Amino acid sequence: MVACTGALIGIALTAWVSAIGVGMDAAVLIVAPMGASAVLIFAVPASPLAQPWPVIAGNTLSALVGVAVAALVPVPAVAAGMAVALAILLMSLTRSLHPPGGAAALLAVVGGAEVAAAGWTFAIVPVALNAVILAAVGVLFHRVSGHNYPHRPLALPLAHPEDVDRALEDLGETLDVDRADIDRLLVRVQHHAGMRARRR
């Protein structure tokens, strides 16, 4: 029910604020991929795919890719496939992988005359505008509802030698390694985990 409420508020506010900001009908100013983005933001807020950067950059960059492909590739079926494929590549390179981005790229190709007429601005209004508003609503909603969003993984405390001893006792087996080796291994594991977290 919390996810349902969040999606209701998120999509409604995104459409309403977009309409006020641009002065047009809300139905024109919210795109279908935002529905999928809302599922991620409000139902699985801890997912790496649901964080604000993937929501905003993933949708926007993918829409730009779709507009470019639509302009350069005259065969609709080929353009559709290329738009989604290149959107995945660009999102992967920018660490902004967001499944609805594939839909944004596809919509730029098959969205019809209105999307084609919008050209490059389609990626800004409505796509980027929608994504920014929806992500902002997600941050505010989860703060009020007590959820951790944007998701920040909890830092684990450093292991102590007695923790290693207890873990070995839990296993009830004799391992062919010295406790000092296990200590060194755990230190390196925590080092690499910290480096990975900083790269995100």
Side-chain angles (χ1 to χ4, degrees), residues 158-170 179 183 186:
L158 293 174
H160 293 287
E162 58 267 24
D163 297 324
V164 176
D165 289 336
R166 288 187 183 133
L168 290 171
E169 289 172 10
D170 291 343
R179 193 185 77 181
D183 287 339
L186 289 174

PDB file of all heavy atoms in Angstrom, residues 158-170 179 183 186:
ATOM      1  N   LEU A 158      34.017  -3.120  11.361  1.00  0.00           N
ATOM      2  CA  LEU A 158      35.184  -3.949  11.095  1.00  0.00           C
ATOM      3  C   LEU A 158      35.161  -5.190  11.984  1.00  0.00           C
ATOM      4  O   LEU A 158      34.768  -5.132  13.144  1.00  0.00           O
ATOM      5  CB  LEU A 158      36.465  -3.152  11.356  1.00  0.00           C
ATOM      6  CG  LEU A 158      36.743  -1.990  10.399  1.00  0.00           C
ATOM      7  CD1 LEU A 158      37.952  -1.197  10.868  1.00  0.00           C
ATOM      8  CD2 LEU A 158      36.957  -2.507   8.983  1.00  0.00           C
ATOM      9  N   ALA A 159      35.579  -6.304  11.402  1.00  0.00           N
ATOM     10  CA  ALA A 159      35.618  -7.554  12.166  1.00  0.00           C
ATOM     11  C   ALA A 159      36.810  -7.544  13.122  1.00  0.00           C
ATOM     12  O   ALA A 159      37.871  -7.010  12.813  1.00  0.00           O
ATOM     13  CB  ALA A 159      35.720  -8.744  11.213  1.00  0.00           C
ATOM     14  N   HIS A 160      36.631  -8.145  14.293  1.00  0.00           N
ATOM     15  CA  HIS A 160      37.686  -8.282  15.285  1.00  0.00           C
ATOM     16  C   HIS A 160      38.134  -9.740  15.322  1.00  0.00           C
ATOM     17  O   HIS A 160      37.400 -10.634  14.892  1.00  0.00           O
ATOM     18  CB  HIS A 160      37.179  -7.855  16.671  1.00  0.00           C
ATOM     19  CG  HIS A 160      36.865  -6.389  16.748  1.00  0.00           C
ATOM     20  ND1 HIS A 160      37.833  -5.424  16.773  1.00  0.00           N
ATOM     21  CD2 HIS A 160      35.676  -5.735  16.773  1.00  0.00           C
ATOM     22  CE1 HIS A 160      37.263  -4.235  16.833  1.00  0.00           C
ATOM     23  NE2 HIS A 160      35.962  -4.392  16.825  1.00  0.00           N
ATOM     24  N   PRO A 161      39.335 -10.003  15.841  1.00  0.00           N
ATOM     25  CA  PRO A 161      39.816 -11.397  15.887  1.00  0.00           C
ATOM     26  C   PRO A 161      38.849 -12.352  16.574  1.00  0.00           C
ATOM     27  O   PRO A 161      38.667 -13.492  16.131  1.00  0.00           O
ATOM     28  CB  PRO A 161      41.133 -11.274  16.672  1.00  0.00           C
ATOM     29  CG  PRO A 161      41.599  -9.881  16.398  1.00  0.00           C
ATOM     30  CD  PRO A 161      40.352  -9.054  16.304  1.00  0.00           C
ATOM     31  N   GLU A 162      38.209 -11.882  17.671  1.00  0.00           N
ATOM     32  CA  GLU A 162      37.269 -12.790  18.354  1.00  0.00           C
ATOM     33  C   GLU A 162      36.057 -13.127  17.479  1.00  0.00           C
ATOM     34  O   GLU A 162      35.452 -14.189  17.624  1.00  0.00           O
ATOM     35  CB  GLU A 162      36.814 -12.208  19.699  1.00  0.00           C
ATOM     36  CG  GLU A 162      36.154 -10.847  19.625  1.00  0.00           C
ATOM     37  CD  GLU A 162      37.132  -9.698  19.819  1.00  0.00           C
ATOM     38  OE1 GLU A 162      38.342  -9.875  19.560  1.00  0.00           O
ATOM     39  OE2 GLU A 162      36.674  -8.623  20.248  1.00  0.00           O
ATOM     40  N   ASP A 163      35.702 -12.205  16.545  1.00  0.00           N
ATOM     41  CA  ASP A 163      34.607 -12.495  15.610  1.00  0.00           C
ATOM     42  C   ASP A 163      34.995 -13.640  14.688  1.00  0.00           C
ATOM     43  O   ASP A 163      34.164 -14.502  14.360  1.00  0.00           O
ATOM     44  CB  ASP A 163      34.264 -11.247  14.777  1.00  0.00           C
ATOM     45  CG  ASP A 163      33.764 -10.099  15.641  1.00  0.00           C
ATOM     46  OD1 ASP A 163      33.057 -10.375  16.628  1.00  0.00           O
ATOM     47  OD2 ASP A 163      34.068  -8.939  15.312  1.00  0.00           O
ATOM     48  N   VAL A 164      36.246 -13.659  14.267  1.00  0.00           N
ATOM     49  CA  VAL A 164      36.737 -14.750  13.419  1.00  0.00           C
ATOM     50  C   VAL A 164      36.696 -16.059  14.192  1.00  0.00           C
ATOM     51  O   VAL A 164      36.259 -17.102  13.665  1.00  0.00           O
ATOM     52  CB  VAL A 164      38.167 -14.449  12.914  1.00  0.00           C
ATOM     53  CG1 VAL A 164      38.719 -15.634  12.123  1.00  0.00           C
ATOM     54  CG2 VAL A 164      38.175 -13.183  12.066  1.00  0.00           C
ATOM     55  N   ASP A 165      37.134 -16.027  15.456  1.00  0.00           N
ATOM     56  CA  ASP A 165      37.105 -17.240  16.279  1.00  0.00           C
ATOM     57  C   ASP A 165      35.684 -17.786  16.404  1.00  0.00           C
ATOM     58  O   ASP A 165      35.452 -19.000  16.262  1.00  0.00           O
ATOM     59  CB  ASP A 165      37.665 -16.952  17.680  1.00  0.00           C
ATOM     60  CG  ASP A 165      39.178 -16.713  17.661  1.00  0.00           C
ATOM     61  OD1 ASP A 165      39.835 -17.199  16.716  1.00  0.00           O
ATOM     62  OD2 ASP A 165      39.671 -16.028  18.571  1.00  0.00           O
ATOM     63  N   ARG A 166      34.747 -16.910  16.671  1.00  0.00           N
ATOM     64  CA  ARG A 166      33.351 -17.353  16.826  1.00  0.00           C
ATOM     65  C   ARG A 166      32.797 -17.902  15.514  1.00  0.00           C
ATOM     66  O   ARG A 166      32.044 -18.888  15.508  1.00  0.00           O
ATOM     67  CB  ARG A 166      32.496 -16.185  17.315  1.00  0.00           C
ATOM     68  CG  ARG A 166      32.773 -15.828  18.772  1.00  0.00           C
ATOM     69  CD  ARG A 166      31.810 -14.790  19.297  1.00  0.00           C
ATOM     70  NE  ARG A 166      32.160 -14.424  20.663  1.00  0.00           N
ATOM     71  CZ  ARG A 166      32.243 -13.181  21.108  1.00  0.00           C
ATOM     72  NH1 ARG A 166      31.988 -12.170  20.311  1.00  0.00           N
ATOM     73  NH2 ARG A 166      32.556 -12.939  22.365  1.00  0.00           N
ATOM     74  N   ALA A 167      33.164 -17.267  14.403  1.00  0.00           N
ATOM     75  CA  ALA A 167      32.695 -17.757  13.106  1.00  0.00           C
ATOM     76  C   ALA A 167      33.252 -19.152  12.822  1.00  0.00           C
ATOM     77  O   ALA A 167      32.540 -20.034  12.321  1.00  0.00           O
ATOM     78  CB  ALA A 167      33.103 -16.785  11.992  1.00  0.00           C
ATOM     79  N   LEU A 168      34.524 -19.372  13.176  1.00  0.00           N
ATOM     80  CA  LEU A 168      35.121 -20.693  12.982  1.00  0.00           C
ATOM     81  C   LEU A 168      34.431 -21.728  13.867  1.00  0.00           C
ATOM     82  O   LEU A 168      34.208 -22.878  13.451  1.00  0.00           O
ATOM     83  CB  LEU A 168      36.621 -20.642  13.276  1.00  0.00           C
ATOM     84  CG  LEU A 168      37.467 -19.876  12.257  1.00  0.00           C
ATOM     85  CD1 LEU A 168      38.893 -19.709  12.769  1.00  0.00           C
ATOM     86  CD2 LEU A 168      37.466 -20.594  10.914  1.00  0.00           C
ATOM     87  N   GLU A 169      34.097 -21.335  15.093  1.00  0.00           N
ATOM     88  CA  GLU A 169      33.375 -22.248  15.985  1.00  0.00           C
ATOM     89  C   GLU A 169      32.001 -22.578  15.414  1.00  0.00           C
ATOM     90  O   GLU A 169      31.532 -23.723  15.511  1.00  0.00           O
ATOM     91  CB  GLU A 169      33.228 -21.619  17.367  1.00  0.00           C
ATOM     92  CG  GLU A 169      34.536 -21.544  18.161  1.00  0.00           C
ATOM     93  CD  GLU A 169      34.371 -20.730  19.443  1.00  0.00           C
ATOM     94  OE1 GLU A 169      33.211 -20.400  19.788  1.00  0.00           O
ATOM     95  OE2 GLU A 169      35.386 -20.422  20.086  1.00  0.00           O
ATOM     96  N   ASP A 170      31.341 -21.584  14.826  1.00  0.00           N
ATOM     97  CA  ASP A 170      30.020 -21.822  14.230  1.00  0.00           C
ATOM     98  C   ASP A 170      30.090 -22.880  13.135  1.00  0.00           C
ATOM     99  O   ASP A 170      29.179 -23.704  12.981  1.00  0.00           O
ATOM    100  CB  ASP A 170      29.457 -20.518  13.623  1.00  0.00           C
ATOM    101  CG  ASP A 170      29.090 -19.498  14.686  1.00  0.00           C
ATOM    102  OD1 ASP A 170      28.952 -19.890  15.859  1.00  0.00           O
ATOM    103  OD2 ASP A 170      28.942 -18.309  14.337  1.00  0.00           O
ATOM    104  N   ARG A 179      44.340 -18.280  11.361  1.00  0.00           N
ATOM    105  CA  ARG A 179      43.414 -17.193  11.650  1.00  0.00           C
ATOM    106  C   ARG A 179      43.926 -15.858  11.125  1.00  0.00           C
ATOM    107  O   ARG A 179      43.157 -15.009  10.666  1.00  0.00           O
ATOM    108  CB  ARG A 179      43.145 -17.084  13.151  1.00  0.00           C
ATOM    109  CG  ARG A 179      41.948 -16.183  13.444  1.00  0.00           C
ATOM    110  CD  ARG A 179      41.740 -15.968  14.919  1.00  0.00           C
ATOM    111  NE  ARG A 179      42.707 -15.003  15.437  1.00  0.00           N
ATOM    112  CZ  ARG A 179      42.784 -14.625  16.694  1.00  0.00           C
ATOM    113  NH1 ARG A 179      41.989 -15.165  17.592  1.00  0.00           N
ATOM    114  NH2 ARG A 179      43.661 -13.730  17.090  1.00  0.00           N
ATOM    115  N   ASP A 183      42.084 -13.076   8.868  1.00  0.00           N
ATOM    116  CA  ASP A 183      42.039 -11.650   9.209  1.00  0.00           C
ATOM    117  C   ASP A 183      42.457 -10.793   8.014  1.00  0.00           C
ATOM    118  O   ASP A 183      41.806  -9.806   7.678  1.00  0.00           O
ATOM    119  CB  ASP A 183      42.956 -11.342  10.395  1.00  0.00           C
ATOM    120  CG  ASP A 183      42.397 -11.864  11.709  1.00  0.00           C
ATOM    121  OD1 ASP A 183      41.174 -12.100  11.776  1.00  0.00           O
ATOM    122  OD2 ASP A 183      43.184 -12.037  12.660  1.00  0.00           O
ATOM    123  N   LEU A 186      39.773 -10.788   5.301  1.00  0.00           N
ATOM    124  CA  LEU A 186      38.628  -9.937   5.632  1.00  0.00           C
ATOM    125  C   LEU A 186      38.951  -8.455   5.458  1.00  0.00           C
ATOM    126  O   LEU A 186      38.113  -7.674   4.977  1.00  0.00           O
ATOM    127  CB  LEU A 186      38.161 -10.207   7.065  1.00  0.00           C
ATOM    128  CG  LEU A 186      37.475 -11.554   7.309  1.00  0.00           C
ATOM    129  CD1 LEU A 186      37.199 -11.741   8.788  1.00  0.00           C
ATOM    130  CD2 LEU A 186      36.187 -11.661   6.505  1.00  0.00           C
TER     131      LEU A 186
END
